[in-house]
């Protein structure tokens, strides 16, 4: 009989093969290719299984005209329960050696899962790291919590989450990274323990190598951000910064330790931030490196920067594809930035500008105008400037993405018949309705604007109606009262004359 402490010890959870691996290979019959031709795009893709079906080979060409994606999908397999696992490990084989004469950014991908109870797919973003030679094996670890981007046919869900107890579909996407690509996946596995995977090492010979890598990375990541894929932007930025941390530098590269200290500050700061602020922090870190090496003019008031003077005293971190950067963290992160990054670098020589800005943030005459991307799938309508309006229609609960319905009511002291100015005039086809109701009083001082809900709007209009009714109903008793006084006065005068 085993000792009692062995009986009480928790059983170790074995890693779960989702697909691939040297023992069983890939489930080749369950995978298919889908490109953006379904939406009029011109991107291409091909899917093959090589080395006795132990390698999923996926390559193609992303064309941004009319589309911008290529994907491979495994559909409708027997549902699996991933709730007891910590995350997913994607094992990759690199396809291209780093070439300082033709710098390329890390390639970002989405791994997306579906469950049996939701219409949405839930994606986690990662990037294939740069390596010194083609054919190197590396891995990325994706915590289950990172599968938080819920989307379906272009709509993004911000208040839904995947049911990991019934995962039954899986996709790999290359999105909005123009040009040819090649991806080779060896396996996809669920693991019970978080993993820290070291970053492969490349050789960086000069400061120009760093500059070129940063430029192409910001061009790629900034475009992804401008298209609304903040997670992919962050994965590309993080991968490049970790590549610098893990790189081997020439002996005469005197600023390598300073650069690594600045990167550690940026990565540490980003650990506590949301997706948008993380994108800014990582972008600011790369800008600061260019400034430190003299390739970028130091911008005044352009946002947070790591402190190069403290780089030697900063807690040093290690380059990883995924997992913890630090053995110990002692510095408190600074405040989050308030604006959003773009793919435009304010360089001494011009860099390719942002491709698809969706909105314009604050402007500054000393720096490029950043772009702002919302977290929703499609923009909501601006408040309509309509003189006559009414309550919005009942919300459509089937709509995949909706913003709260709000009614703006400008309230003045009520007058008789004021309620008559509220008339219906709203299109039921609007997915999100904001209405502007103006209750006017020419003699009153300018009123204050108040944002009201539908219920508060109804209460306000009911109150106005009651006030008007009270005003109108109080006029009759006042008239009768005055008439009685007048008649009584007449009788008194008549009586006095008789006497």
């Amino acid at each position: 009989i085993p000792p009692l402490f062995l009986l009480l010890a928790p059983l170790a959870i074995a890693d779960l093969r989702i697909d691939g691996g040297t023992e069983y290979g890939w489930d080749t019959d369950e995978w298919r290719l889908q490109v953006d031709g379904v939406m009029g795009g011109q991107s291409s893709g091909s899917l093959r299984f090589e080395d006795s079906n132990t390698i999923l080979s996926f390559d193609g060409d992303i064309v941004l005209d009319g589309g911008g994606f290529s994907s491979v999908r495994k559909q409708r397999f027997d549902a699996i329960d991933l709730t007891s696992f910590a995350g997913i490990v994607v094992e990759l084989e690199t396809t291209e050696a780093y070439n300082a004469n033709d710098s390329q950014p890390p390639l970002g991908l989405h791994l997306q899962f579906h469950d049996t109870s939701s219409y949405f797919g839930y994606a986690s973003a990662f990037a294939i790291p740069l390596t010194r030679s083609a054919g190197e094996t590396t891995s990325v670890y994706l915590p289950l919590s990172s599968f938080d981007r819920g989307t379906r046919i272009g709509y993004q869900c911000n208040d839904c989450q995947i049911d990991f107890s019934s995962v039954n579909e899986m996709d790999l996407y290359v999105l909005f990274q123009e040009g040819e690509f090649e991806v080779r996946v060896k396996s996809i596995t669920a693991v019970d323990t978080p993993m820290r995977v070291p970053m492969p090492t490349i050789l960086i010979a000069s400061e120009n190598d760093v500059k070129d890598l940063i430029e192409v990375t910001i061009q790629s990541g900034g475009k992804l951000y401008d298209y609304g894929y903040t997670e992919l932007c962050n994965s590309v930025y993080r991968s490049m910064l970790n590549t610098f941390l893990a790189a081997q530098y020439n002996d005469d590269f005197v600023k390598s330790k300073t650069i690594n200290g600045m990167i550690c500050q940026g990565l540490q700061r980003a650990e506590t931030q949301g997706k948008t602020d993380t994108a800014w922090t990582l972008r600011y870190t790369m800008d600061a490196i260019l400034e430190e090496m003299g390739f970028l003019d130091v911008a005044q008031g352009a946002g947070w920067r790591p402190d190069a003077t403290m780089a030697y005293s900063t807690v040093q971190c290690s380059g990883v594809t995924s997992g913890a950067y630090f053995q110990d963290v002692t510095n408190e992160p600074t405040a989050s930035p308030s604006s959003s990054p773009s793919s435009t670098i304010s360089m001494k020589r011009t860099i390719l500008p942002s491709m698809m800005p969706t909105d314009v943030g604050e402007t500054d005459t000393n720096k490029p105008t950043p772009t702002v991307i919302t977290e929703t799938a499609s923009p909501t309508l601006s408040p309509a400037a309509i003189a006559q309006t009414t309550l919005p229609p009942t919300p459509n609960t089937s709509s995949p993405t909706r913003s709260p319905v709000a009614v703006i009511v400008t309230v003045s002291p009520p007058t008789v018949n004021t309620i008559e100015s509220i008339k219906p005039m709203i299109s039921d086809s609007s997915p999100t309705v904001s209405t502007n109701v103006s209750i006017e009083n020419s003699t009153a001082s300018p009123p204050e604007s108040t944002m009201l809900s539908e219920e508060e709007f109804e209460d306000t209009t009911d109150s106005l109606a009651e006030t008007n009714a009270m005003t109108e109903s109080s006029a009759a008793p006042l008239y009768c009262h005055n008439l009685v006084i007048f008649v009584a006065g007449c009788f008194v005068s008549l009586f006095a004359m008789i006497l």
Side-chain angles (χ1 to χ4, degrees), residues 33 53 60 62 85 112 147 164 170 192 223 252 263 289 321 328 333 340 358-359 383 391 415 421 449 474 496 498:
L33 175 77
N53 293 335
I62 299 299
F85 294 91
Q112 181 169 266
F147 289 83
F164 276 111
M170 177 169 55
D192 68 331
K223 290 177 188 175
D252 58 352
I263 292 173
I289 293 171
T321 68
D328 182 31
S340 304
T358 61
D359 196 2
L391 291 174
T415 59
S421 65
S449 296
S474 63
I498 294 174

Side-chain angles (χ1 to χ4, degrees), residues 48-308:
R48 300 179 303 278
F49 295 93
E50 301 175 352
D51 296 346
S52 301
N53 293 335
T54 60
I55 297 287
L56 183 154
S57 179
F58 169 39
D59 56 59
D61 186 12
I62 299 299
V63 179
L64 300 182
D65 184 14
F69 76 86
S70 186
S71 67
V72 289
R73 307 182 178 192
K74 182 179 181 180
Q75 291 191 306
R76 303 298 181 186
F77 52 84
D78 292 339
I80 56 177
D81 185 353
L82 299 179
T83 55
S84 59
F85 294 91
I88 306 298
V89 172
V90 182
E91 187 179 20
L92 302 154
E93 183 180 283
T94 61
T95 61
E96 186 176 359
Y98 164 64
N99 180 2
N101 296 320
D102 183 24
S103 296
Q104 299 295 323
L107 178 67
L109 290 93
H110 268 175
L111 174 62
Q112 181 169 266
F113 287 138
H114 304 255
D115 61 40
T116 59
S117 60
S118 173
Y119 289 108
F120 293 92
Y122 299 86
S124 178
F126 66 95
I128 301 177
L130 304 182
T131 54
R132 187 174 299 193
S133 60
E136 293 187 34
T137 297
T138 186
S139 299
V140 293
Y141 167 75
L142 307 173
L144 290 190
S145 60
S146 68
F147 289 83
D148 61 354
R149 182 185 174 96
T151 57
R152 178 175 181 262
I153 58 173
Y155 289 95
Q156 186 172 344
C157 176
N158 295 320
D159 57 355
C160 55
Q161 60 184 9
I162 187 171
D163 178 5
F164 276 111
S165 68
S166 60
V167 173
N168 69 337
E169 294 186 41
M170 177 169 55
D171 317 318
L172 274 171
Y173 273 89
V174 178
L175 293 142
F176 297 103
Q177 295 159 92
E178 189 172 18
E180 296 181 354
F181 69 88
E182 183 179 4
V183 179
R184 291 174 66 83
V185 186
K186 302 182 76 171
S187 64
I188 300 175
T189 306
V191 296
D192 68 331
T193 304
M195 293 184 61
R196 183 177 184 273
V197 183
M199 176 67 71
T201 300
I202 65 171
L203 175 63
I204 295 181
S206 69
E207 293 181 351
N208 282 324
D209 292 353
V210 175
K211 174 182 70 70
D212 292 342
L213 285 169
I214 288 179
E215 288 181 9
V216 297
T217 299
I218 290 179
Q219 288 176 15
S220 176
K223 290 177 188 175
L224 287 167
Y225 188 96
D226 287 347
Y227 275 98
Y229 291 92
T230 310
E231 300 89 350
L232 278 173
C233 169
N234 291 342
S235 70
V236 171
Y237 283 176
R238 271 200 176 98
S239 183
M240 192 68 259
L241 291 173
N242 277 277
T243 293
F244 291 139
L245 289 176
Q248 178 184 347
Y249 293 90
N250 276 358
D251 293 339
D252 58 352
F253 200 124
V254 295
K255 291 191 175 182
S256 61
K257 188 172 181 180
T258 299
I259 290 172
N260 285 355
M262 295 167 70
I263 292 173
C264 289
Q265 292 176 46
L267 293 175
Q268 180 183 356
R269 183 175 191 258
E271 283 293 287
T272 62
Q273 296 178 317
K275 297 175 183 179
T276 298
D277 288 342
T278 292
W280 252 129
T281 291
L282 301 181
R283 165 63 188 275
Y284 285 150
T285 301
M286 290 185 283
D287 286 346
I289 293 171
L290 294 176
E291 292 169 357
E292 176 65 19
M293 296 189 302
F295 292 112
L296 178 63
D297 293 331
V298 177
Q300 299 298 323
W304 176 87
R305 292 290 190 273
D307 189 349

Side-chain angles (χ1 to χ4, degrees), residues 22 153 201 263 285 365 376 450 485:
T22 56
I153 58 173
T201 300
I263 292 173
T285 301
T365 56
T376 54
T450 307
I485 294 175

